Amino acid sequence: MRRFAVILCCFCHLSLMNAQPMEIIEAHKQQKFPDSIPAGNYSGITPLGQDRYAVVSDKSADDGFFVFHIAIDTLSGKIVSIENEGFRSTGKRNRDVEGIAYVPDTQTLFISGEAGNDILEYTLDGQHTGRGLVIPAVFKKARRNFGFEALAYDAEQRLFWTTSEASLPGEGDTLRLQSFGLDLQPKRQYRYEMDGQLSERPIARGVSALCALGGNRLLVLEREAKVTKMKIGSWVHCKLFEVELTGEPSEAVVEKRLVMEFRTKINLLRRNFANYEGMCLGPRLADGSRTLIMIADSQDRHGGILRDWFKVIVFRE
C-alpha cells in the first residue's frame, strides 16, 4: 500500500536542475527482522555488491561494522530476508560511528565518527589503514554529538560527501556540504539550508544521512524527532531532498527539491516510530527502477517498543 507524501509543489524549480528529477514509484511499509539481526543503534549503511551491505551501529561495543546480506524482491522492491554475516572489529573502542561509504576503487570503507569528528579508512576485514579524510578546520567547531552523522561516496564523480548533522555555531540553520577526492583532500563546499523545525523541543533535528545519486546529485535526509514524557504522541518526521551540486561554490545556498516526506509515530494505534539515520542505493529492479534502502536507530530496541526498522523506496529518474 502506498503510504507516502509526494509534494507536487517541489517540481516548480525543475528548471534550476539539469538532471531528470526523481519520481517516487512506491514507498514500502517498514519491515523488521528481529530474528536474524541483533538489536542495534544502526546509523549508516553502504552497498558492497552481491546483495551485501556494511552497516555501522553507533553504540556497538567495538569500533567496526556489520555485514548484512539483504535480499530484495526484484519485482516489488520489498526486502525478502536479511542475514547477519558478522561484525568486523578493529579491537578498539567505538568512536560513535555514524556514516559509512564503500569505495570500489580502493576496496576500502570510510567511516565517520562523531567522537573525534573524523572520517577514517578501514579494510574489509575491519582494520584501520592509518589513513583518513583531511577535515577542514571549520568543522572542528561542530557541537558535541552534532558532527559527521552522514557520509556518502559518489563512484561516478569519485567524490566523498559529508556534512555536520546540525549547523556550526553562529551559522543559523545553514549546513556545509563538503566533498573530498580520492586523494583524501577537501574539494568543493556548498551551503545548504535546512527547513525550519516542527516542534518546540525536538530531541534530534538535522541531516542524518546522505546518498549519492550520480550526476553531481545528492539525496539529503532531514529528520526531526520529538519524544513526549509518556512516549504516546512521540514522532519522527523525515524529509528527503534532492540537490544538484554543480558550478562554483558561493555563499548562496543550493536549491533543494523535496522528493517526499513521511512521519512515524507512537500512539494508541501505531508503534512504528523509526529514527532513520542511514540510507544507500539498493539494487535495480526488473523494470529498471532503482531502490533506496533506509535503516533506523532503535537504541537497542529501547523499552521493548522500538524496532530496527528498514524501509525501501522505489524510484525512477
Side-chain angles (χ1 to χ4, degrees), residues 246-257:
T246 56
E248 290 299 316
S250 70
E251 290 301 307
V253 298
V254 297
E255 292 284 352
K256 64 180 186 180
R257 181 193 300 117

Side-chain angles (χ1 to χ4, degrees), residues 70-98:
I70 304 178
I72 290 181
D73 184 271
T74 58
L75 295 178
S76 68
K78 290 183 180 180
I79 298 175
V80 176
S81 64
I82 299 181
E83 177 187 351
N84 175 23
E85 296 185 358
F87 187 78
R88 315 286 173 85
S89 173
T90 63
K92 299 178 181 179
R93 288 182 59 187
N94 191 323
R95 53 192 188 87
D96 194 4
V97 291
E98 297 287 356

Side-chain angles (χ1 to χ4, degrees), residues 258-272:
L258 181 61
V259 176
M260 67 172 289
E261 62 181 320
F262 61 93
R263 179 173 291 198
T264 63
K265 61 188 71 173
I266 298 175
N267 59 26
L268 295 177
L269 299 176
R270 298 173 66 184
R271 291 189 175 184
N272 68 350

Side-chain angles (χ1 to χ4, degrees), residues 128-185:
H128 289 155
T129 67
R131 304 197 318 155
L133 301 184
V134 179
I135 307 300
V138 67
F139 287 103
K140 296 300 180 183
K141 299 190 302 181
R143 290 168 285 175
R144 188 171 179 270
N145 293 327
F146 290 100
F148 293 137
E149 182 92 8
L151 180 66
Y153 180 69
D154 185 337
E156 179 185 295
Q157 303 295 322
R158 289 184 167 83
L159 286 176
F160 298 93
W161 286 99
T162 190
T163 187
S164 55
E165 179 182 4
S167 58
L168 301 177
E171 298 195 356
D173 277 342
T174 302
L175 304 182
R176 297 167 182 255
L177 290 171
Q178 176 69 56
S179 65
F180 300 82
L182 281 180
D183 60 0
L184 311 183
Q185 297 297 316

